[in-house]
Amino acid sequence: MSWGTELWDQFDNLEKHTQWGIDILEKYIKFVKERTEIELSYAKQLRNLAKKYQPKKNSKEEEEYRYTACKAFLSTLNEMNDYAGQHEVISENMTSNITVELARYVQELKQERKSYFHDGRKAQQHIEICWKQLESSKRRFERDCKEADRAQQYFEKMDADINVTKADVEKARQQAQARHQMAEDSKADYSSILQKFNHEQHEYYHTHIPNIFQKIQEMEERRIVRIGESMKTYAEVDRQVIPIIGKCLDEIVKAAESIDQKNDSQLVIEAYKSGFEPPGDIEFEDYTQPMKRTVSDNSLSNSRGEGKPELKFGGKSKGKLWPFIKKNKLMSLLTSPHQPPPPPPASASPSAVPNGPQSPKQPKEPLSHRFNEFMTSKPKIHCFRSLKRGLSLKLGATPEDFSNLPPEQRRKKLQQKVDELNKEIQKEMDQRDAITKMKDVYLKNPQMGDPASLDHKLTEVSQNIEKLRLEAQKFEAWLAEVEGRLPARSEQARRQSGMFDAQNPATVNNCAQDRESPDGSYTEDQSQEGEVKVLATDFDDEFDEEEPLPAIGTCKALYTFEGQNEGTISVVEGETLYVIEEDKGDGWTRIRRNEDEEGYVPTSYVEVYLDKNAKDP
C-alpha cells in the first residue's frame, strides 16, 4: 500500500505524523542518554565503594589481609572495580553507537522531511495558481458573453426603429459584432486554460503528490527500521559485557571458595604465640602443723629460706604463673605509677588530709599473707639494664632488640628485620655494581665522563653496605639467641622463614637473660599502649646478691599520703625518709623507709634535700 494513492488528500496529517515520528526518535535518544548517565554514576559509586574499603597502606588493616577471608574480601573489592569498569564500557558503547549516531540521523531526517514537504507545498501552490487562472478566464468569458448578448439586443432594437438613422443602426451593428468577437476570444482562452488546468491537476494528483508521499513513506519506514536497530544495539551492548561480568562474579566465588579456616587459625597462632610453657599444678600446702608451715616449691611467696629450689627458664616448672600475670606489681615498682599524682591537700593539718593514717592490717592466713608480701615487696633486679629497659618501656619506647615481646613474637620481628636489611644490602650492592660498570665504561671511553667523579659515590655506597652488614649481624646474633631459647622447629619451617640451623645457645650473662627472663621485660602488644606486663617466675638467691640503690638525699613529708596504688608507699606528715630516685618529670619521687620498704610518693607531698655528691641511679 502506498501513501501516494491512499493518502493523496492527507498532506497535513502526514506532516503531523512524520513530526511525531521524529519526536519519538528524540525521546528514545534522551532515554539512552539518561541510561548512560546512570551507568556512569553507578560505576563511579562502585569504584568509590571499593576504594573506601581498600586497606590503607602502612596501617593495621594491611596486616589483617594476611588471612584468607580478608584476602577473599580484597579480591572481591578488586573484582568490583572490574565490574564497575564494565558498566563504564556499557555507557561508552551506548553513547557512541546509539546516542551519537541517532542524533546525527535525526538531523538528516529533519532536513529530508523538510525538503519533501517543501516540494509538496510548492506543488500545491502551483495547482492553486492554475485554478485561479481558470476561474479568472471563466469569469471573463461569462462577462464577454453577456456584453455580446446586450449589444446584439441593442442592434436589433435600433434596426427595428424607423426613426433611427442608418448611421446609428450601422454603429450598433458594428458594436454588436465586436462584442461577439470578444466573447469568442474569451471562450477560446477559457477553453485553453481549462485544458491546461485539467492537465496540471492530473499531474498533481497522479504524479507529483504520489511521488512526494512515496518518498515521505520511505523516509518514515527508514526511521522505524533505525529505531529498531538501535534497540537491538542497546541490548547487544549489555550482552557483550555479560561474559566479563560473569567472569568477575566467578572470580568472587573462587575467592570465597579459597577461604581456609584452618590456615586462618594457624595465622592467629603465629601472630600471638608467646613461646612460653603453660604453668604446672600448684601443690597442696599443709597448714595442719601448728609449729612449722612449709612453703612448697611452687608457692608464689618470696621467702628466702634454705632449701629453696631453683626454677630454670624454659623448663616445665609447675608453679610458673608469670606468663598469665597481666599487671604484676614487681615491675610496677621499677617504674612510677601509671596515673598522675594527686594534688596536695589544701591544709597541712591532719584533719584536712583526706587520706588519714593507714589502719593496722588484720591478721591473714599464711598463704594470702605471703602472696600479699610478694605483690607489695620490692625484689632486687638482676642488673641495671633491666631497670633502664623497664623505664624505656614505660615511656613508650620500643627496644631495638624487641625484648619487650614474647620469644616467638620477638623471633618473628627479628627475622623480619633481618630480611629487610638483607634486601637493603642487595639493593646497595646492585647500585655498587652499576656504578662500577659505569666507571669501567668511563675508563674505556673518557669522552663519556670522568671516572674519578664516581669514586665518592662508590665509597659512599660501600660504607652503606658495611653499615647494613654490621646491623644485620647484630640482629642475626639476637635472632640466633632467640632461636637457641625456643623449642626446636622443623627444618622445613626454618627454610621457609630463612632462619639459621639449630644451634646450641651461647653462654649469656644475667643482663642478656633479662631479655626473656621473667623480670619484667615483656609488655603487652599495642593494646596496653606502653603498660608494662611483668612476667615473674623464679626468685632465687641472685636477688639477695644485688645491692640496693644508694640514697641520693633525704626528704620530709609535708602531708600524709596513703599509698593505695601499685608501686606507691604510705608516709605520715613530718616523717623523714631517704630519696633514691628524684622526680623524672612525671610528678613522682622514689623514696625508701628501710631496706624492705620503698616506693613512690607525689613530689608535691614531700620536700627533697638532695646530696650534691651522690649520683642519681
Side-chain angles (χ1 to χ4, degrees):
M1 304 296 290
S2 174
W3 287 5
T5 57
E6 302 295 332
L7 303 176
W8 59 270
D9 57 345
Q10 299 298 321
F11 185 88
D12 293 337
N13 287 332
L14 286 180
E15 187 176 14
K16 294 177 181 179
H17 177 77
T18 52
Q19 181 61 45
W20 171 83
I22 292 177
D23 293 341
I24 287 293
L25 193 57
E26 290 179 337
K27 183 184 292 185
Y28 184 73
I29 293 173
K30 185 178 180 181
F31 159 75
V32 176
K33 186 176 181 180
E34 291 182 2
R35 165 71 190 278
T36 59
E37 293 174 354
I38 291 174
E39 292 292 341
L40 282 178
S41 176
Y42 180 52
K44 183 179 180 181
Q45 291 179 11
L46 284 179
R47 289 190 182 278
N48 290 339
L49 180 65
K51 182 179 179 181
K52 177 181 178 181
Y53 287 94
Q54 285 283 351
K56 298 179 180 178
K57 293 184 178 180
N58 302 324
S59 66
K60 186 178 179 181
E61 292 182 5
E62 195 172 17
E63 297 179 1
E64 295 175 354
Y65 281 82
R66 298 176 301 158
Y67 300 97
T68 56
C70 294
K71 287 181 179 178
F73 178 55
L74 183 60
S75 177
T76 300
L77 295 178
N78 295 332
E79 294 301 329
M80 289 307 296
N81 268 325
D82 296 340
Y83 187 87
Q86 296 311 306
H87 285 277
E88 292 174 347
V89 170
I90 291 176
S91 176
E92 293 173 0
N93 290 341
M94 285 188 175
T95 300
S96 59
N97 298 337
I98 299 178
T99 306
V100 175
E101 293 295 329
L102 284 185
R104 186 185 301 112
Y105 177 71
V106 165
Q107 296 300 323
E108 296 174 356
L109 191 64
K110 288 181 178 180
Q111 293 295 329
E112 185 179 4
R113 174 182 174 276
K114 181 180 179 180
S115 174
Y116 292 152
F117 282 98
H118 176 73
D119 293 343
R121 289 192 183 91
K122 188 176 180 180
Q124 280 185 336
Q125 291 174 359
H126 178 70
I127 199 67
E128 287 175 359
I129 291 173
C130 292
W131 171 257
K132 288 179 181 179
Q133 291 178 351
L134 177 63
E135 288 292 322
S136 177
S137 64
K138 181 180 176 181
R139 286 194 298 270
R140 186 169 61 252
F141 172 59
E142 183 181 4
R143 185 178 66 250
D144 290 343
C145 287
K146 290 180 179 180
E147 291 292 335
D149 189 42
R150 283 197 297 268
Q152 183 65 29
Q153 291 177 1
Y154 180 74
F155 167 70
E156 290 177 355
K157 181 179 178 182
M158 294 294 289
D159 188 40
D161 190 356
I162 58 174
N163 296 321
V164 178
T165 63
K166 187 176 180 180
D168 293 334
V169 173
E170 185 63 24
K171 183 179 179 179
R173 185 181 66 79
Q174 291 177 359
Q175 190 175 9
Q177 288 178 352
R179 291 293 180 183
H180 278 289
Q181 186 61 39
M182 291 176 64
E184 289 295 330
D185 294 340
S186 297
K187 178 180 179 181
D189 187 43
Y190 171 66
S191 176
S192 174
I193 292 176
L194 179 61
Q195 291 179 0
K196 182 180 179 182
F197 173 78
N198 289 333
H199 175 74
E200 293 292 340
Q201 181 175 257
H202 184 274
E203 290 290 325
Y204 175 79
Y205 285 111
H206 293 86
T207 304
H208 297 308
I209 290 298
N211 290 339
I212 293 173
F213 282 11
Q214 183 64 30
K215 293 178 180 179
I216 294 175
Q217 180 181 358
E218 293 174 356
M219 177 194 72
E220 184 67 9
E221 290 175 353
R222 288 198 307 271
R223 179 193 66 80
I224 296 172
V225 171
R226 189 62 177 268
I227 196 171
E229 292 175 350
S230 299
M231 290 180 180
K232 289 182 180 179
T233 305
Y234 179 88
E236 287 298 326
V237 168
D238 264 343
R239 184 177 286 113
Q240 287 173 0
V241 301
I242 287 178
I244 304 177
I245 292 178
K247 187 177 180 181
C248 293
L249 299 178
D250 292 341
E251 290 296 326
I252 294 176
V253 173
K254 184 179 179 181
E257 292 174 349
S258 68
I259 295 177
D260 186 356
Q261 65 275 14
K262 298 296 183 182
N263 183 70
D264 287 359
S265 299
Q266 182 62 32
L267 289 177
V268 174
I269 294 175
E270 295 177 1
Y272 300 109
K273 181 180 179 181
S274 65
F276 296 135
E277 293 291 336
D281 297 336
I282 298 177
E283 295 183 359
F284 175 76
E285 297 188 15
D286 190 1
Y287 290 95
T288 58
Q289 300 180 12
M291 300 302 295
K292 184 178 180 180
R293 295 173 178 175
T294 304
V295 180
S296 67
D297 295 342
N298 296 310
S299 174
L300 290 176
S301 66
N302 195 22
S303 63
R304 300 175 180 176
E306 297 180 357
K308 179 180 176 182
E310 182 181 3
L311 300 179
K312 297 298 182 181
F313 175 79
K316 298 183 179 180
S317 59
K318 296 183 179 180
K320 197 184 299 181
L321 291 176
W322 53 268
F324 302 94
I325 299 176
K326 188 171 185 179
K327 293 182 180 178
N328 194 296
K329 296 189 177 182
L330 175 60
M331 192 57 197
S332 66
L333 294 177
L334 297 178
T335 59
S336 60
H338 295 273
Q339 59 209 23
S347 173
S349 62
S351 61
V353 181
N355 296 330
Q358 186 175 3
S359 60
K361 298 180 179 178
Q362 299 295 329
K364 300 181 180 180
E365 291 297 329
L367 178 59
S368 61
H369 178 67
R370 292 172 182 271
F371 184 75
N372 184 64
E373 288 180 354
F374 160 72
M375 297 301 287
T376 57
S377 62
K378 173 63 179 66
K380 300 176 181 59
I381 56 178
H382 280 296
C383 65
F384 180 63
R385 183 175 181 181
S386 298
L387 175 60
K388 289 176 63 180
R389 180 162 58 249
L391 292 174
S392 65
L393 294 177
K394 166 75 169 53
L395 297 175
T398 302
E400 186 182 13
D401 59 353
F402 304 105
S403 58
N404 61 313
L405 299 176
E408 182 66 23
Q409 301 303 317
R410 184 186 177 203
R411 180 192 63 77
K412 290 177 63 179
K413 287 289 185 181
L414 290 173
Q415 180 62 51
Q416 183 180 358
K417 187 67 176 179
V418 169
D419 294 341
E420 292 175 358
L421 290 172
N422 287 335
K423 289 181 181 179
E424 293 181 9
I425 291 173
Q426 185 61 42
K427 183 178 179 181
E428 294 291 337
M429 291 177 66
D430 293 341
Q431 186 176 1
R432 184 185 62 183
D433 295 342
I435 295 175
T436 303
K437 291 181 181 179
M438 186 179 296
K439 185 176 180 180
D440 294 340
V441 173
Y442 287 174
L443 289 173
K444 294 178 180 179
N445 302 289
Q447 66 275 9
M448 297 182 66
D450 183 13
S453 62
L454 300 176
D455 292 339
H456 176 70
K457 184 65 175 177
L458 195 61
T459 303
E460 182 181 350
V461 172
S462 300
Q463 292 175 354
N464 291 339
I465 293 175
E466 187 63 26
K467 290 179 181 179
L468 291 173
R469 283 177 176 172
L470 293 175
E471 190 77 7
Q473 290 175 3
K474 178 173 64 175
F475 280 94
E476 286 172 356
W478 285 333
L479 183 61
E481 178 185 338
V482 177
E483 273 294 294
R485 293 170 182 267
L486 289 175
R489 299 189 301 154
S490 65
E491 288 300 320
Q492 181 180 1
R494 289 179 179 273
R495 286 193 297 269
Q496 291 175 350
S497 60
M499 299 295 294
F500 297 104
D501 293 336
Q503 52 183 302
N504 296 325
T507 303
V508 189
N509 56 19
N510 288 338
C511 291
Q513 286 180 348
D514 287 340
R515 297 191 187 101
E516 287 80 23
S517 63
D519 60 353
S521 58
Y522 292 107
T523 60
E524 294 183 81
D525 188 348
Q526 294 182 1
S527 62
Q528 296 299 324
E529 297 181 355
E531 184 180 24
V532 179
K533 178 180 179 182
V534 181
L535 307 176
T537 53
D538 48 330
F539 299 96
D540 50 22
D541 294 337
E542 292 181 7
F543 288 105
D544 296 333
E545 295 173 2
E546 300 291 341
E547 293 296 330
L549 294 175
I552 61 174
T554 59
C555 67
K556 181 180 179 181
L558 301 177
Y559 314 101
T560 298
F561 173 72
E562 186 175 302
Q564 297 179 348
N565 296 327
E566 299 177 4
T568 61
I569 184 173
S570 300
V571 296
V572 181
E573 180 183 356
E575 185 180 2
T576 302
L577 306 103
Y578 294 101
V579 177
I580 59 176
E581 185 179 312
E582 60 180 325
D583 188 355
K584 298 298 184 181
D586 56 359
W588 295 90
T589 300
R590 187 175 176 185
I591 64 173
R592 178 188 297 137
R593 178 177 287 111
N594 51 47
E595 184 178 355
D596 295 329
E597 290 186 82
E598 62 180 48
Y600 287 91
V601 295
T603 304
S604 58
Y605 275 61
V606 295
E607 185 175 358
V608 179
Y609 308 97
L610 294 177
D611 185 1
K612 296 182 179 180
N613 297 326
K615 294 184 178 179
D616 188 352

